[in-house]
């Protein structure tokens, strides 16, 4: 959304601040969707990373591309007569969306996906999201490891405070590794190991604007920092 994009652009311009987007989408897709080249992007749940000064593709996942294509082709054939199903190849992973599939056909989709992945279980694993099945290479890599990889390559960790917001089950991998960070779960419908929660996605922009305000304190008319109390002094998040 444009309000979030605008505040991300401003945050990325703050000195000693790095903004990273971590997504299940293919890296090229999420980078195009957000449209801010100054950010770091991690696509396919962290299997591919690119941004200013960093570039990475998980080598085992890259080596399995042709096997994944073959698996995806078989899956498309199996599901070709199911209305509403979307088989989405993403280079390093494949997603199968059943949100628009009639309720009576969803078990068929699940069984077809499970059978195809089971036939190649030495190379691929299956995970479930919100009305989506994710087929990923069997590698010890996730959003948490991707973020850790990027953090190790930042210029300095002295005095750094990390923030991570996420609304997906796969974001729990990041919450788990960011022990000293401000971790925020978006939504209240799932258990989480994040330290805080934001109840509604619409409140994300408010939180990011609060953070931007704290990183760029306004000058008072008398030349000092404006320290007068306001409602913005408290972040719009809840203790978990």
């Amino acid at each position: 959304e444009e309000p979030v994009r605008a505040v991300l652009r401003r945050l990325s311009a703050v000195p000693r601040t790095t903004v990273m987007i971590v997504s299940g989408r293919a890296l090229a897709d999420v980078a195009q969707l957000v449209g801010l080249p100054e950010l770091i992007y991690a696509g396919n749940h962290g299997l591919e990373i690119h941004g200013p000064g960093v570039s990475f593709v998980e080598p085992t996942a890259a080596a399995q591309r042709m096997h994944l294509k073959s698996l995806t082709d078989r899956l498309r054939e199996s599901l070709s007569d199911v209305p509403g199903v979307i088989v989405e190849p993403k280079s390093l992973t494949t997603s199968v969306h059943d949100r628009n599939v009639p309720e009576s056909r969803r078990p068929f989709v699940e069984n077809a996906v499970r059978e195809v992945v089971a036939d190649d279980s030495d190379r691929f694993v299956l995970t479930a999201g919100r009305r989506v099945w994710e087929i990923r290479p069997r590698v010890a890599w996730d959003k948490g490891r991707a973020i850790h990889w990027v953090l190790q390559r930042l210029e300095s960790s002295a005095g750094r405070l990390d923030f991570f917001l996420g609304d997906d089950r796969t974001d729990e991998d990041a919450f788990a590794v960011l022990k000293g960070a401000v971790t925020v779960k978006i939504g209240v419908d799932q258990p989480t190991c994040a330290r805080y929660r934001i109840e509604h996605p619409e409140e994300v922009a408010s939180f990011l604007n609060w953070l931007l305000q704290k990183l760029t304190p306004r000058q008072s008319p008398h030349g000092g920092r404006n320290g007068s109390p306001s409602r913005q002094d408290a972040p719009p998040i809840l203790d978990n």
Side-chain angles (χ1 to χ4, degrees):
E1 296 181 0
E2 189 54 41
V4 174
R5 183 183 293 107
V7 71
L8 289 177
R9 180 185 290 111
R10 294 178 65 190
L11 278 169
S12 68
V14 176
R16 299 182 62 197
T17 300
T18 300
V19 179
M20 180 178 179
I21 304 291
V22 190
S23 174
R25 296 174 182 265
L27 188 148
D29 291 344
V30 68
Q32 182 178 21
L33 181 66
V34 178
L36 299 175
E38 58 269 37
L39 273 53
I40 295 175
Y41 296 93
N44 276 307
H45 303 284
L47 292 174
E48 48 183 350
I49 304 169
H50 187 75
V54 295
S55 185
F56 170 82
V57 178
E58 205 288 322
T60 301
Q64 302 292 4
R65 276 192 173 109
M66 293 308 298
H67 293 289
L68 179 63
K69 181 181 183 304
S70 176
L71 182 153
T72 302
D73 290 344
R74 297 198 309 273
L75 196 52
R76 276 178 165 157
E77 183 177 352
S78 299
L79 299 174
S80 60
D81 65 342
V82 178
V85 70
I86 298 174
V87 179
E88 179 190 8
K90 300 184 295 185
S91 180
L92 300 176
T93 67
T94 292
S95 295
V96 180
H97 305 267
D98 68 358
R99 185 179 304 277
N100 297 322
V101 173
E103 189 75 31
S104 62
R105 300 301 302 277
R106 286 178 180 172
F108 177 84
V109 173
E110 177 178 351
N111 290 335
V113 174
R114 289 190 181 278
E115 287 178 7
V116 168
V117 175
D119 289 341
D120 214 347
S121 60
D122 58 329
R123 294 190 179 98
F124 299 102
V125 296
L126 181 65
T127 61
R130 288 184 297 229
R131 301 268 49 98
V132 62
W133 298 96
E134 298 271 7
I135 303 169
R136 305 188 207 170
R138 187 177 288 280
V139 294
W141 197 261
D142 52 37
K143 288 182 178 180
R145 288 177 171 88
I147 292 171
H148 181 69
W149 185 91
V150 171
L151 291 178
Q152 287 183 314
R153 284 153 180 80
L154 296 181
E155 289 185 4
S156 173
S157 60
R160 186 180 71 209
L161 179 60
D162 301 316
F163 291 77
F164 183 78
L165 287 71
D167 67 349
D168 193 75
R169 292 177 187 174
T170 59
D171 294 320
E172 295 298 321
D173 296 322
F175 295 149
V177 302
L178 294 171
K179 298 296 187 182
V182 177
T183 51
V184 184
K185 173 71 174 180
I186 303 168
V188 295
D189 58 335
Q190 296 174 357
T192 182
C193 60
R195 295 170 62 188
Y196 303 98
R197 283 186 186 268
I198 287 177
E199 289 187 279
H200 306 292
E202 296 78 12
E203 296 173 313
V204 170
S206 297
F207 175 80
L208 294 177
N209 274 299
W210 171 86
L211 179 59
L212 177 64
Q213 180 185 359
K214 293 304 174 184
L215 293 174
T216 55
R218 292 173 296 177
Q219 296 289 324
S220 74
H222 305 291
R225 300 285 185 173
N226 187 345
S228 58
S230 74
R231 292 179 62 188
Q232 291 300 315
D233 286 337
I237 55 177
L238 305 172
D239 288 324
N240 192 23

